[in-house]
Every structure is written in structure tokens, then in C-alpha cells.
Amino acid sequence: MKRMLSAFLLVLLPATLLAGPPPARTDVVPAIPGTAPVQPSPPQTVPQPQAQAEAPQPVQPKGIRIKKQQAKKPVRKEGLSDRQIVEHRVKQSVQRPVNAMSVESKTIYSYVPDAIYMIYAALNHVVDIQLQPGERLTGKIVAGDTFRWEVGTVEDGSGSNVTTHVLIKPKQAGIETNFLIVTDRHSYRLYAQSNDDFFIPTVGWSYSDEEMTTKSAQIRKEQQRLDGMVAAPAIIAANLNFKYKIKADRKYPWVPLRAFDDGSKTYIQMSPEMKSSEAPVLFIKDGKKLNLVNYRIKGDYFIVDRLFEEGELRSGKKDRVRIIRQTPWFSSGNNYPESGKGGR
């Protein structure tokens, strides 16, 4: 019975138990040789000096459009609008009666191209605007307000002395407008205001630049007629008065060398350099006004058939030389001492 039970248990036990215990695990460490093999070290490289790094250039991506930068608008001073700027410029170009000359009831503006001339009108009154003698209108007069302002023209004189009068009349007070008058010589820009009881009766212009040009042309013509007459005028040395001052703003080629008179005529000796420049025009000062004076040229001399206290030689708008007569050495104008009986 015992043998049968043992055989039965042998069948049931796993084969692993029958094989016996597993062999003990031993870790074998390989022997280390007396001299370990030397591993070759990586080659060392000497660092080379690096070149200065260049700034990276911007690379424009392909297929992308870059918008053009618009120019910046100029910075305008705070508080100044386009309207204020234009109004300031217009104000600077306006000529007013306070700065104009006058003869009787006529207000005389100094003509300047592109200037604006102030006109004051009144209800039930006409303003007479007189153009330069011989000047003709080239078209209709242009007005900003043609409904409340009346404009007409009349002429007086004949031939080359015809004077055109432009008549302006407002239909009510407290209105304003502007006018443009174009002629064969000039263009006039007017700014008109109407009042209840104040107006300018007559308006005209002076043309100083044109008068100087005309006078200069006459002088040149006379100089051509007297071409070859280079001798100085015949004068008596004993009767000469050299008490004249010559004051020039700067050194012009036509500054006179001297000025003198013989008691009835004035002689102005011009510099020889004047022949290479434009001849100036002589004005005589009467009170506060400068008037053109008749004179003739003989050689290097301007000869005036009168005496004057102060005169001006002018060329252009700003170039001028003043000639001032001082008190002569004798007591009265024409009482010259006889030769040998008096003197300085």
C-alpha cells in the first residue's frame, strides 16, 4: 500500500522537483590584465581667431509684397490751420489807404504785381478807379458778387492819353467782394467793402519802376545823341561851390566822384565805371516827395539847370546814392565875390 501511494505522489510532483535543486549562480569577473590598454584621446585642435561677425542682412521672403512707406507729412505747428496760413499771407499782401499817397480826393497806391488793393465803398455812392493813361481793358471785369455790386466803365481823353475809369457801386451796406481788372499793361486785384457813410471817391496808382525805366531810356537816347561830346562843360572855377556830400548805401559802379554848382546849375561828375553798368536816374527831393527832374548828360557829367538841397540817384528799387548840398561859403545864393576881392 505504501508503495502505491509513493508511486502516485511521484506522478503528481512536477518534473522540476525531481530534477533536484538548481545549481548555485556564480558571477564570474574576468581577470584584469596588469597593464590596461590605453584608449587613444581625441586630437586637440588649437582655436583659431574668429573673424568679426558680419551683421545679418535682412532676407526678403519670396512671394511677399512689402508696402511702400509713405512720406511723413510735415509737422505743422499746433494751432495753425491752412485757413490761418492763407489769411496771414493775404493780409500781408493787402495795400490800404493808410499806407498810400493821396492827391486831393484821390488815393494813390504804389503798383506791385499780385498785390491786393483795399477799396471802401458806400451805399448810393460811386468809387472811381482810374487806370494808367493809355491803358486798355482786355476783357470784362470779373467780380465775385455780381448781384449786389454794379460795375461800369467810362473813358475820357483821346489818343494815347485816353484814361479808363472803372466805376464800382454797392447795392447795400455791409457786404464785400473782390474784383479782377486785366489790361494790356497790368492786372489789378481789388478787395471791396461797403459801409453806410464811408468810401474812397477816387483810386489810382503810381508806377515808379516803369517811370524810372522810361526815364533811363530817354537818358540813353540823349546820351547817344551827344555821343562824342566828352569835354567837360565850360564853367568859371571862381564861382564854384563844392559843398556837397555824397552818401552811398554801398559802393556802386555809378557813385559820383563829386558834385558842385556855379550858382545856377548843378554838376554831378559820374564815375567812369558807370559806362559798364546801367545809368541811374536822378530825383530831386521837394519836401518829403521825390520828383523826377530834367537833366542832360555831357561826357561824365549830369547837368541840372537848377540848384537843389537834396537829390537821389536811383537804380532799381533799393540801390540809391544821396547828394546833399551844404551851406555855401558865400552869404547868399547868387552874390558871388568878384575874383581877387574875396574868397574862402
Side-chain angles (χ1 to χ4, degrees):
M1 188 70 181
K2 287 182 181 180
R3 288 180 181 180
M4 291 177 64
L5 183 60
S6 299
F8 179 76
L9 290 173
L10 289 172
V11 174
L12 294 176
L13 288 174
T16 55
L17 294 177
L18 295 176
R25 182 178 178 181
T26 59
D27 294 329
V28 180
V29 178
I32 299 175
T35 58
V38 179
Q39 296 293 332
S41 60
Q44 297 181 359
T45 57
V46 179
Q48 299 294 331
Q50 296 183 358
Q52 187 174 0
E54 296 182 359
Q57 299 295 329
V59 179
Q60 180 176 343
K62 294 182 179 179
I64 299 178
R65 293 185 180 179
I66 299 178
K67 291 184 179 179
K68 224 181 221 184
Q69 292 185 353
Q70 296 181 353
K72 293 183 179 180
K73 295 182 180 179
V75 179
R76 182 178 298 159
K77 292 182 180 179
E78 186 178 356
L80 281 180
S81 64
D82 289 341
R83 177 173 179 173
Q84 289 173 324
I85 293 173
V86 172
E87 287 179 347
H88 174 73
R89 292 173 180 171
V90 170
K91 184 178 179 181
Q92 295 297 318
S93 65
V94 175
Q95 289 196 29
R96 300 179 179 275
V98 67
N99 298 322
M101 298 184 295
S102 63
V103 177
E104 301 297 337
S105 66
K106 185 176 181 179
T107 299
I108 303 176
Y109 288 116
S110 177
Y111 180 79
V112 177
D114 298 326
I116 300 174
Y117 307 97
M118 195 70 196
I119 304 296
Y120 292 103
L123 191 62
N124 300 324
H125 292 78
V126 172
V127 178
D128 176 15
I129 299 174
Q130 298 180 4
L131 305 182
Q132 189 180 34
E135 191 172 17
R136 298 281 187 173
L137 294 171
T138 57
K140 292 183 178 180
I141 298 171
V142 182
D145 185 352
T146 58
F147 181 74
R148 296 180 298 176
W149 291 79
E150 296 180 2
V151 181
T153 59
V154 294
E155 294 182 349
D156 67 11
S158 60
S160 60
N161 294 321
V162 171
T163 301
T164 300
H165 300 255
V166 179
L167 308 178
I168 295 177
K169 180 181 177 182
K171 294 183 179 179
Q172 66 184 71
I175 60 175
E176 58 186 32
T177 191
N178 66 319
F179 297 89
L180 175 61
I181 304 173
V182 180
T183 72
D184 56 353
R185 300 179 185 175
H186 311 97
S187 59
Y188 304 89
R189 292 161 180 81
L190 314 179
Y191 186 81
Q193 290 182 348
S194 68
N195 304 275
D196 291 324
D197 55 359
F198 168 66
F199 75 107
I200 302 176
T202 310
V203 176
W205 285 267
S206 64
Y207 310 87
S208 56
D209 291 345
E210 297 175 19
E211 291 172 357
M212 290 174 64
T213 302
T214 302
K215 189 67 177 179
S216 180
Q218 293 175 352
I219 292 172
R220 287 180 180 276
K221 187 176 180 180
E222 180 68 11
Q223 191 170 6
Q224 291 176 357
R225 191 182 68 85
L226 299 174
D227 189 23
M229 300 176 62
V230 296
I235 50 180
I236 302 174
N239 294 339
L240 298 183
N241 170 37
F242 288 90
K243 294 285 186 175
Y244 283 82
K245 279 187 178 180
I246 297 175
K247 296 183 178 181
D249 295 337
R250 62 175 186 262
K251 190 175 181 180
Y252 306 113
W254 42 268
V255 175
L257 299 178
R258 63 182 59 85
F260 55 92
D261 67 75
D262 61 3
S264 60
K265 297 179 183 179
T266 304
Y267 304 88
I268 304 171
Q269 186 178 0
M270 307 300 294
S271 170
E273 298 179 6
M274 186 187 71
K275 295 178 181 179
S276 61
S277 64
E278 184 177 356
V281 180
L282 179 62
F283 292 84
I284 298 299
K285 191 170 184 180
D286 291 330
K288 294 183 178 180
K289 294 183 179 180
L290 284 176
N291 298 321
L292 287 169
V293 63
N294 292 325
Y295 60 94
R296 60 186 182 274
I297 299 176
K298 193 170 184 181
D300 294 334
Y301 289 84
F302 282 15
I303 305 174
V304 186
D305 293 328
R306 54 166 287 189
L307 303 180
F308 57 84
E309 297 299 323
E310 184 174 347
E312 286 189 8
L313 288 168
R314 290 197 172 195
S315 178
K317 295 182 179 180
K318 298 181 179 180
D319 299 342
R320 67 170 188 168
V321 173
R322 297 173 62 196
I323 302 172
I324 304 172
R325 181 173 182 261
Q326 298 178 295
T327 304
W329 54 270
F330 45 84
S331 58
S332 61
N334 293 324
N335 295 329
Y336 295 94
E338 295 180 6
S339 179
K341 294 185 179 180
R344 298 176 185 252

